[in-house]
Amino acid sequence: MSDKPLSGIKIIDFTHVQAGPACTQMLAWFGADVIKVERPGAGDVTRSQLRDIPDVDALYFTMLNSNKRGLSLDTKKPEGKAVLEKLIKESDVLVENFGPGALDRMGFSWERIQELNPKLILASVKGFSDGHHYEDLKVYENVAQCAGGAASTTGWWKGEHSEPTISAAALGDSNTGMHLAIGILTAYIGRQKTGKGQKVAVAMQDAVLNLCRVKMRDQLRLDKLGYLEEYPQYPHEKFGDVVPRGGNAGGGGQPGWILKCKGWETDPNAYIYFTVQGHAWGPICDALGKPEWKTDPAYTTPKARQPHIMDIFGTIEDWLKDKTKYEAVDILRKFDIPCAPVLSMKELLNDESLRKSGSIVEVPHKVRGSYFTVGSPIKFSDLKPEITASPLLGEHTDEVLAELGYSQDQIKALHEAKAV
């Protein structure tokens, strides 16, 4: 729409799977004209991955490619290369997440792109940064979580299942895409001052590491002190020389834990997260019916509480046993105690507040019918992004070609040559 903040910005979306598409989708939500370029007859691999309806674009694809236009293009054919050259000349940004050297082999090195359009911004998702000793490795979501430090600090520190643990949140993929979106917009604003494009890249390892900075903080503290007093291992267990896994501990200096609520025996998500913040200690004591804790020297300070923090959580869990997670949170929030129910995907999908705010939206699709997807997590006072359906493979090919100046006869010839 012409009234959107990013309207007038044309983006060539040469990305696939998740990290790149998440980046370009967000820019499309805010008004950029994002042209999804895919191979004729095949397209993004996620069109066919994890299908719930035969021969219909999978939700994996539809939920990462809304608001885009679809162009099918075979860049291995001379005619296809010529189309891409024209598109580059008229675009502001090209986003790609190919393997190292793929654009060069296609004939579109950075030097060639600059010849075609010195104002173009080339934005890339990489596994590892340029010059890294692993820069030739293929990287996917869980690989990035391991390489970026998230897995080593997630999970349990002892027992049968004490191995590093992967998060279900897309720390490697969508997180990298969000970082790249920031980089693209920064480069675009910079271009308004200099008139020149530039390369922008985000490595998945770096994006994960950026979200793990508090664990890097803890490594520096551990190197200095030899222990981390807010971790559940303190003071009863010995620390090694690396930041340990901390189970459900808060991680931000405030002790926290996931605690059972009524119904946990049959409901795998009948839990709440409860944080014992220092300023909330008095209200916590009042809520639990433990006023004596407010004056007991064994409980009055965070340092005094830490040696028996698990016993404190045990007392809270006993208080929770006859309350559902919703009932518990409704009581605790009246005392301004930081907590939240553990919400399942099903609960989130059907949450009235999320639907009302546009965080969950229903989108009509030409083939699959209506489906639900995530909406913009960023809210504005003067913009409400409208989420539209992902494009069918090559759906807007003729439209884009006509905009590039191709006549109907030329478009027909490109189809006959199977270049589009």
Side-chain angles (χ1 to χ4, degrees), residues 23-189:
C23 167
T24 52
Q25 176 176 252
M26 179 165 280
L27 299 175
W29 285 345
F30 303 151
D33 179 14
V34 176
I35 300 171
K36 174 93 174 178
V37 181
E38 300 173 87
R39 287 180 302 146
D44 192 319
V45 66
T46 59
R47 285 187 182 271
S48 59
Q49 279 189 339
L50 307 174
R51 276 182 169 142
D52 57 320
I53 304 173
D55 302 320
V56 174
D57 287 339
L59 289 165
Y60 197 178
F61 179 85
T62 66
M63 295 178 75
L64 286 159
N65 291 281
S66 58
N67 293 59
K68 303 178 185 180
R69 295 198 288 167
L71 167 67
S72 59
L73 189 65
D74 187 346
T75 55
K76 292 182 179 179
K77 294 183 182 295
E79 301 91 339
K81 276 189 169 63
V83 172
L84 183 55
E85 286 189 355
K86 282 197 171 193
L87 194 55
I88 287 173
K89 289 177 181 178
E90 297 193 13
S91 297
D92 299 288
V93 185
L94 189 157
V95 189
E96 61 88 21
N97 60 347
F98 296 122
L103 269 183
D104 291 359
R105 293 190 294 273
M106 199 185 294
F108 292 93
S109 64
W110 173 235
E111 291 71 26
R112 177 59 180 148
I113 288 172
Q114 285 185 301
E115 288 175 6
L116 293 167
N117 183 355
K119 290 187 175 183
L120 190 96
I121 295 161
L122 174 60
S124 303
V125 172
K126 297 178 176 291
F128 296 89
S129 55
D130 286 344
H132 193 284
H133 53 278
Y134 285 155
E135 67 178 339
D136 59 338
L137 276 178
K138 273 192 174 180
V139 177
Y140 298 103
E141 172 64 52
N142 293 348
V143 175
Q145 288 196 32
C146 290
S152 73
T153 57
T154 304
W156 299 95
W157 64 94
K158 61 181 178 180
E160 184 182 354
H161 300 291
S162 60
E163 65 271 8
T165 304
I166 299 300
S167 169
L171 306 179
D173 276 326
S174 283
N175 168 48
T176 301
M178 299 305 100
H179 277 81
L180 188 61
I182 295 169
I184 290 169
L185 294 176
T186 301
Y188 185 79
I189 293 170

Side-chain angles (χ1 to χ4, degrees), residues 79-80 82-83 86 397-398 401-420:
E79 301 91 339
V83 172
K86 282 197 171 193
T397 296
D398 291 0
L401 291 172
E403 290 173 2
L404 291 173
Y406 285 87
S407 69
Q408 290 304 308
D409 288 342
Q410 289 173 318
I411 292 172
K412 183 179 179 182
L414 285 168
H415 281 287
E416 290 173 349
K418 296 185 178 179
V420 296

Side-chain angles (χ1 to χ4, degrees), residues 75-381:
T75 55
K76 292 182 179 179
K77 294 183 182 295
E79 301 91 339
K81 276 189 169 63
V83 172
L84 183 55
E85 286 189 355
K86 282 197 171 193
L87 194 55
I88 287 173
K89 289 177 181 178
E90 297 193 13
S91 297
D92 299 288
V93 185
L94 189 157
V95 189
E96 61 88 21
N97 60 347
F98 296 122
L103 269 183
D104 291 359
R105 293 190 294 273
M106 199 185 294
F108 292 93
S109 64
W110 173 235
E111 291 71 26
R112 177 59 180 148
I113 288 172
Q114 285 185 301
E115 288 175 6
L116 293 167
N117 183 355
K119 290 187 175 183
L120 190 96
I121 295 161
L122 174 60
S124 303
V125 172
K126 297 178 176 291
F128 296 89
S129 55
D130 286 344
H132 193 284
H133 53 278
Y134 285 155
E135 67 178 339
D136 59 338
L137 276 178
K138 273 192 174 180
V139 177
Y140 298 103
E141 172 64 52
N142 293 348
V143 175
Q145 288 196 32
C146 290
S152 73
T153 57
T154 304
W156 299 95
W157 64 94
K158 61 181 178 180
E160 184 182 354
H161 300 291
S162 60
E163 65 271 8
T165 304
I166 299 300
S167 169
L171 306 179
D173 276 326
S174 283
N175 168 48
T176 301
M178 299 305 100
H179 277 81
L180 188 61
I182 295 169
I184 290 169
L185 294 176
T186 301
Y188 185 79
I189 293 170
R191 192 187 79 177
Q192 292 175 321
K193 298 178 180 180
T194 66
K196 294 165 58 177
Q198 62 177 304
K199 290 196 290 185
V200 180
V202 179
M204 295 172 76
Q205 181 191 39
D206 295 347
V208 174
L209 177 59
N210 190 38
L211 295 192
C212 291
R213 68 180 68 190
V214 296
K215 298 299 182 180
M216 184 68 77
R217 171 206 67 190
D218 291 347
Q219 184 63 56
L220 294 167
R221 292 170 56 232
L222 181 64
D223 290 344
K224 183 79 69 176
L225 301 172
Y227 62 89
L228 299 166
E229 65 181 23
E230 79 279 13
Y231 277 65
Q233 292 91 323
Y234 179 86
H236 306 297
E237 298 180 32
K238 186 177 180 182
F239 284 81
D241 62 354
V242 299
V243 173
R245 291 183 273 283
N248 289 319
Q254 306 293 343
W257 209 254
I258 289 179
L259 304 173
K260 300 184 186 80
C261 293
K262 181 181 178 180
W264 69 270
E265 298 91 343
T266 55
D267 180 355
N269 294 299
Y271 294 80
I272 68 167
Y273 196 89
F274 192 104
T275 303
V276 181
Q277 282 194 325
H279 70 81
W281 180 244
I284 289 170
C285 297
D286 293 334
L288 298 176
K290 290 283 186 180
E292 66 275 14
W293 280 1
K294 290 192 283 187
T295 54
D296 187 332
Y299 294 89
T300 50
T301 67
K303 190 167 186 177
R305 291 191 290 270
Q306 188 60 34
H308 47 274
I309 191 68
M310 299 312 291
D311 293 331
I312 292 171
F313 285 132
T315 300
I316 299 169
E317 197 166 66
D318 186 62
W319 177 84
L320 290 167
K321 66 184 178 183
D322 62 349
K323 302 170 184 69
T324 68
K325 61 186 179 184
Y326 299 111
E327 290 169 343
V329 170
D330 280 342
I331 294 170
L332 295 170
R333 66 180 180 171
K334 293 174 183 175
F335 290 86
D336 201 25
I337 296 168
C339 62
V342 174
L343 296 174
S344 68
M345 286 298 110
K346 188 177 183 70
E347 288 167 314
L348 291 165
L349 180 62
N350 294 286
D351 188 296
E352 289 184 11
S353 294
L354 293 178
R355 292 192 181 188
K356 185 177 180 180
S357 70
S359 297
I360 299 287
V361 295
E362 187 173 10
V363 179
H365 189 275
K366 288 182 178 179
V367 181
R368 76 159 33 247
S370 291
Y371 65 95
F372 285 95
T373 186
V374 295
S376 172
I378 303 172
K379 312 301 184 196
F380 303 86
S381 62

